[in-house]
Amino acid sequence: MQERATQVVIVGGGPVGMGLAIELGQRGVAVVVVEKYPTPQPVPKGQNLTQRTMEHFHFWHAEKELRAARTVPKEYGIGGLTAYGTLLGDYHYDWLQRELVRPYYLTDNERLPQYATEEVLRARAAQLPSIELLYGWSGDDVEQDTGGVVVTALNRESGERIRIRADYAVGCDGSKSSLREAAGITQTRSDHDRLMVLLVFRSTGLHELLKRFPGKSFYNVLHPDLEGYWQFFGRVDLGNTWFFHAPVPPGTTADNFDFESYLHRAVGAPFDVEFEHIGFWDLRVAIADSYRNGRVFIAGDAAHSHPPYGGYGINTGLEDARNLGWKLAATLQGWGGASLLDTYDAERRPVFASTARDFIEKAIESDRSFLATHDPERDRKAFEAEWAERGSGARGEVNAFEPNYRGSPIVAGTPGAKTNAVGSHVFEARAGHHLAPLVLSDGRNVYETLGEGFTLLTFDGEAGVAAAFEAAAKACGIPLALMRDTADGECAKYKARYVLVRPDQFVAWASDTPPADADALLRQASGSMSDN
């Protein structure tokens, strides 16, 4: 059997696997990606990309190409709407208004089908010489020892097998991950005992009906009979193609259910329907009990999965890629400490657990309670008051979803703080939180000054502080960029004269006063505090 060697082998070349490959490839790490599909699968999912996710594409040098690939014209809009009873009913409010947190990120959010996103990522990965792409191959088995891993890959057409030896393996092969199973990583599931249908269909009539909601691209219908579970419509393009998620009775198949009538009831009017795809999935939340077993890691849906409520899935997976990517590169290049890779699980797993608990399942329970308690036919005044309150709460949810690592061992934050997905968007630089982009005195955005490694921002800081960090970084081999500016102007909003920024644009440390020990601070941020 042929054998080849690399530094990291990634099984699964969807958005998360390919994003991780690009993150590593741009850092000079040799990568082999094993992906079973020669071309992306044309099923629309993972469409809502947050501003934070678009920052990843910016740093992966693929933002322009991704925006050019969108299937709904930019001038139309990509907002959301929640309706009661039927989509065309009397009650609705704006939903998932991500534009409310736009000032705290470098880039605008975006919306396009996952297969279009994959095409952009595949093209970018092909430009990087350190990435080898094996399309049409599956990686179903992994062995590991103290020196590395071996993934056995199978050519799905010819039956040829090869062995790929690497320092590390990462499973990005979806919720039914073969690599996760082979590595012996278990999962904890929260099963909602609901069968869901995914319909992809064409209809110009639906586009005409929904012209009354300009600028909207996805629509959520709450119906009392469904006990808090959504009927969810989304545009794939402008005018013709749609997808629809909704609960269906147990035992439903493509042949024994009237899906056209179901669509008409959800909308509240008849319209033309031409089905392109009918598929099913079980509504559940699953999280791996660990994101790592030795030299094998998992990311994206292989590590966590949940119903497509709120557009959290693909965004959470791509953040996994950024987090794990710089840590793998740092370890392979010798400047990441012995405990750095353990912080991938310590940072990312609590964030997903919080996302599932505090946003997705909380939304299902909130909707269920609302529908059981309020009915416009029974008490219109009480219903309308609560409906208005829910519309206001939808704005609060967007602000509250602020994944952070404030409890991370490589963050110099508040003792006893917890890592989770609940926070708030502010400009202040806070340890463990995403750095907000602000404008420097010379007109540049601070993000233009960030290096590939750590970056120390100083605002009228003492000269000796920067020198101490430079000396400590040089001694440890840690890449460190320096940015000096005045303390007045927009960057005063950071409320800190010194800000140490990680390679993933999260704040490792922020203070108005110099650190007691710059060397110890850098060693902590790079996972080296316990190293001899």
Side-chain angles (χ1 to χ4, degrees), residues 326-498:
W326 78 263
K327 293 173 181 178
L328 280 171
T331 301
L332 289 164
Q333 292 164 359
W335 58 271
S339 63
L340 183 61
L341 289 176
D342 286 335
T343 68
Y344 167 61
D345 178 277
E347 292 184 344
R348 295 304 301 153
R349 202 157 60 90
V351 165
F352 176 78
S354 175
T355 300
R357 178 185 64 247
D358 299 320
F359 292 92
I360 299 168
E361 294 192 310
K362 181 180 178 180
I364 294 172
E365 290 303 318
S366 173
D367 290 344
R368 178 182 292 133
S369 176
F370 166 75
L371 292 168
T373 307
H374 296 87
D375 183 342
E377 297 299 320
R378 187 172 60 243
D379 188 337
R380 183 174 299 274
K381 183 177 180 180
F383 175 90
E384 290 180 346
E386 182 62 21
W387 187 255
E389 182 66 24
R390 289 174 63 83
S392 175
R395 300 183 186 94
E397 179 182 339
V398 172
N399 183 63
F401 182 68
E402 192 254 338
N404 60 80
Y405 310 137
R406 54 193 166 201
S408 171
I410 59 170
V411 163
T414 304
K418 300 295 184 182
T419 293
N420 57 30
V422 180
S424 61
H425 287 81
V426 298
F427 290 111
E428 180 182 354
R430 301 166 294 167
H433 294 258
H434 170 265
L435 180 75
L438 294 175
V439 177
L440 301 169
S441 60
D442 63 5
R444 290 180 299 164
N445 191 292
V446 70
Y447 268 52
E448 297 178 60
T449 71
L450 300 181
E452 290 188 359
F454 286 88
T455 303
L456 179 67
L457 310 178
T458 66
F459 302 98
D460 285 336
E462 299 175 17
V465 174
F469 270 96
E470 280 188 299
K474 184 176 181 180
C476 298
I478 296 173
L480 176 71
L482 295 175
M483 193 293 305
R484 298 177 176 87
D485 199 18
T486 58
D488 54 3
E490 190 169 281
C491 287
K493 295 177 182 178
Y494 285 141
K495 298 182 180 179
R497 293 172 66 196
Y498 309 99

Side-chain angles (χ1 to χ4, degrees), residues 172-220:
C172 301
D173 49 340
S175 60
K176 298 179 180 179
S177 171
S178 297
L179 203 74
R180 182 188 65 232
E181 297 297 322
I185 298 174
T186 57
Q187 284 186 306
T188 297
R189 294 182 175 182
S190 172
D191 201 324
H192 286 252
D193 195 28
R194 286 278 175 164
L195 180 66
M196 306 290 287
V197 68
L198 167 60
L199 305 176
V200 182
F201 62 96
R202 300 179 66 83
S203 175
T204 55
L206 183 57
H207 173 67
E208 293 300 318
L209 287 170
L210 297 185
K211 282 184 174 179
R212 68 189 67 187
F213 303 127
K216 304 300 181 186
S217 289
F218 50 100
Y219 315 80
N220 169 31

Side-chain angles (χ1 to χ4, degrees), residues 34 94 235 353:
V34 179
D94 289 346
R235 294 182 181 272

Side-chain angles (χ1 to χ4, degrees), residues 51-65:
Q51 291 100 337
R52 170 58 181 163
T53 289
M54 291 307 298
E55 288 182 353
H56 304 330
F57 282 89
H58 170 82
F59 285 102
W60 291 337
H61 307 290
E63 181 188 0
K64 179 180 178 182
E65 290 77 8

Side-chain angles (χ1 to χ4, degrees), residues 240-400:
N240 293 299
T241 313
W242 307 80
F243 70 86
F244 176 75
H245 288 285
V248 290
T252 298
T253 69
D255 302 315
N256 68 3
F257 191 83
D258 187 350
F259 295 107
E260 184 171 349
S261 294
Y262 194 19
L263 289 170
H264 292 167
R265 290 195 301 273
V267 172
F271 53 90
D272 60 299
V273 177
E274 179 185 345
F275 291 109
E276 294 188 344
H277 173 83
I278 301 175
F280 301 92
W281 52 278
D282 295 315
L283 195 155
R284 64 167 59 98
V285 175
I287 181 170
D289 297 316
S290 173
Y291 284 11
R292 176 188 188 183
N293 183 358
R295 290 177 172 268
V296 179
F297 296 81
I298 52 176
D301 285 354
H304 46 76
S305 58
H306 60 77
Y309 284 26
Y312 297 108
I314 188 172
N315 298 293
T316 301
L318 289 169
E319 193 69 58
D320 292 346
R322 286 299 303 282
N323 187 288
L324 180 58
W326 78 263
K327 293 173 181 178
L328 280 171
T331 301
L332 289 164
Q333 292 164 359
W335 58 271
S339 63
L340 183 61
L341 289 176
D342 286 335
T343 68
Y344 167 61
D345 178 277
E347 292 184 344
R348 295 304 301 153
R349 202 157 60 90
V351 165
F352 176 78
S354 175
T355 300
R357 178 185 64 247
D358 299 320
F359 292 92
I360 299 168
E361 294 192 310
K362 181 180 178 180
I364 294 172
E365 290 303 318
S366 173
D367 290 344
R368 178 182 292 133
S369 176
F370 166 75
L371 292 168
T373 307
H374 296 87
D375 183 342
E377 297 299 320
R378 187 172 60 243
D379 188 337
R380 183 174 299 274
K381 183 177 180 180
F383 175 90
E384 290 180 346
E386 182 62 21
W387 187 255
E389 182 66 24
R390 289 174 63 83
S392 175
R395 300 183 186 94
E397 179 182 339
V398 172
N399 183 63

